[in-house]
Amino acid sequence: MSTFVVKHKGQTHNIGRFLKYHPGGSNTLVGLKDADVTAALKATGHSSAAYELLKDYRVQEDNLHAPFREEGDLESLVDWDKPMLGQVGKLGPKYKEWVLAPVDRKLRLFGSEFMEQLTVTPWYLIPIVWVPVSIGLVYLGYIRFLTVASFTSFDPSSVYLWVSLMYLLGLVLWPMIEYSVHRWIFHLKPPDSSPFLITVHFSLHGLHHKVPFDDRRLLLPPVPAAILLSIAYFIYSQLFSYWSAPLVMAGTITGYTMYDLMHFYLHYGSPKEGTYLYTMKRYHNQHHFAHHEEGFGISNNILDKIFGTLIHLKKLNRSLVW
């Protein structure tokens, strides 16, 4: 781990590991090495989440690579050496405060190694799994259209037009699904009195806010994704015709795949100023570290504008570099 020491209220913090994650860009921090950042943090209006995260980088003066926290702080509510899934339900009314206080750590959900491996996903696994599924569904819709056309008044020569239209419909539906699920399911506050619902919330999305820098947990693993997409396909099969349902589903899965890869890049990539991804990285960082109840769009912010949850980004006098 690199060394980049700052002081805050007389305490020493080594934030070297955090430089590439800093929402304001690593170049914002260059002039603060070995400096006291107490006044700077206050002047820039850092959120409570930022102050909690800073605690994760506190070190001893004589050992800059030995992080420690004070006994009795927020992270003392759980044991990070044990699987988290069996602990979060017991947090009750402290859960929301705890889950929105990010830490820079690797998180373990299950004691079973087999179950644990089902919950972590490298980025390249997403296209490997879902691109072939999308292609297969397009082919299935194509064959079904030709079959239906042979028994009806459908013109078989229009197959490519209809296949394209239904696929594009599924692609257009994805941003609506993305926003709705993120806002009204992932950010639905579970009741303090329900350990089960707290655990479900943490499994679905809470863990991502708790460990936003854990690159193994930025993507939805294929097994739970397959379950959710199977439910979506069942719904589509009720809403759309025999031949069009696979095509609409293929478009939706393509949208999901693009979204998941983009989400990963917004956390780990280094987009250049003036690009769409640069703006969306700033936007998503604000959702994580300051405006938890706004900015639900990840691939775009159109629905945030429509539903009044838009995060207004400040105009900066310098480029950010991650």
Side-chain angles (χ1 to χ4, degrees):
M1 182 177 72
S2 61
T3 302
F4 193 104
V5 174
V6 296
K7 297 281 188 176
H8 175 58
K9 293 186 176 180
Q11 299 173 347
T12 303
H13 300 79
N14 182 6
I15 62 171
R17 194 171 67 237
F18 178 63
L19 295 180
K20 64 179 179 179
Y21 303 133
H22 183 234
S26 58
N27 57 323
T28 307
L29 302 172
V30 170
L32 296 175
K33 189 173 184 179
D34 299 320
D36 190 311
V37 298
T38 305
L41 287 172
K42 184 176 181 180
T44 50
H46 275 63
S47 65
S48 58
Y51 286 100
E52 284 297 325
L53 179 58
L54 184 61
K55 294 178 183 179
D56 230 32
Y57 300 109
R58 185 181 172 188
V59 293
Q60 301 178 49
E61 288 278 0
D62 58 350
N63 190 345
L64 299 179
H65 299 287
F68 74 98
R69 278 184 176 253
E70 295 178 354
E71 288 295 327
D73 80 347
L74 201 56
E75 295 313 312
S76 299
L77 295 172
V78 296
D79 186 345
W80 280 88
D81 293 326
K82 296 180 179 179
M84 200 60 67
L85 210 58
Q87 302 184 66
V88 292
K90 303 172 185 176
L91 292 175
K94 297 292 290 184
Y95 171 70
K96 184 176 182 180
E97 179 187 5
W98 176 83
V99 83
L100 293 179
V103 293
D104 184 3
R105 307 182 187 189
K106 300 295 184 183
L107 180 139
R108 187 177 184 89
L109 283 178
F110 292 96
S112 163
E113 188 59 31
F114 173 75
M115 293 297 294
E116 183 68 10
Q117 289 306 309
L118 292 179
T119 69
V120 295
T121 312
W123 71 266
Y124 54 81
L125 192 60
I126 300 302
I128 287 175
V129 170
W130 296 115
V131 169
V133 172
S134 296
I135 294 172
L137 286 169
V138 168
Y139 181 72
L140 177 62
Y142 170 80
I143 295 299
R144 285 185 175 184
F145 180 89
L146 292 178
T147 301
V148 170
S150 65
F151 293 102
T152 65
S153 59
F154 266 118
D155 179 4
S157 65
S158 65
V159 59
Y160 297 114
L161 173 62
W162 283 108
V163 165
S164 299
L165 287 175
M166 292 301 103
Y167 177 82
L168 288 174
L169 174 60
L171 201 58
V172 169
L173 284 175
W174 171 254
M176 303 177 194
I177 297 171
E178 173 191 318
Y179 180 90
S180 299
V181 170
H182 192 187
R183 180 179 180 180
W184 289 300
I185 297 180
F186 288 175
H187 278 264
L188 182 67
K189 185 180 182 297
D192 298 337
S193 58
S194 176
F196 172 74
L197 291 179
I198 289 175
T199 303
V200 169
H201 177 270
F202 184 74
S203 303
L204 288 175
H205 192 62
L207 61 87
H208 176 51
H209 275 268
K210 189 63 187 176
V211 287
F213 313 130
D214 189 341
D215 61 339
R216 310 164 308 151
R217 299 194 179 280
L218 291 177
L219 305 154
L220 187 61
V223 172
I227 294 171
L228 294 174
L229 290 172
S230 296
I231 295 172
Y233 185 61
F234 172 77
I235 295 172
Y236 278 10
S237 67
Q238 306 304 305
L239 296 176
F240 301 104
S241 66
Y242 169 76
W243 63 269
S244 64
L247 297 169
V248 179
M249 192 67 208
T252 295
I253 290 178
T254 300
Y256 157 70
T257 303
M258 295 168 62
Y259 144 81
D260 228 2
L261 294 176
M262 181 175 172
H263 182 217
F264 185 89
Y265 184 78
L266 294 183
H267 278 268
Y268 271 83
S270 303
K272 302 299 182 182
E273 184 182 19
T275 64
Y276 178 73
L277 291 174
Y278 176 91
T279 300
M280 292 311 295
K281 182 177 176 76
R282 286 189 61 206
Y283 192 79
H284 192 54
N285 276 334
Q286 287 296 312
H287 169 73
H288 266 280
F289 300 107
H291 303 280
H292 305 298
E293 301 306 321
E294 296 177 305
F296 299 108
I298 296 171
S299 59
N300 67 83
N301 60 13
I302 295 173
L303 291 177
D304 280 315
K305 294 177 182 177
I306 294 173
F307 289 105
T309 54
L310 183 70
I311 297 173
H312 296 278
L313 298 176
K314 295 179 180 178
K315 187 175 181 179
L316 303 176
N317 56 13
R318 63 177 180 278
S319 299
L320 303 183
V321 179
W322 292 281

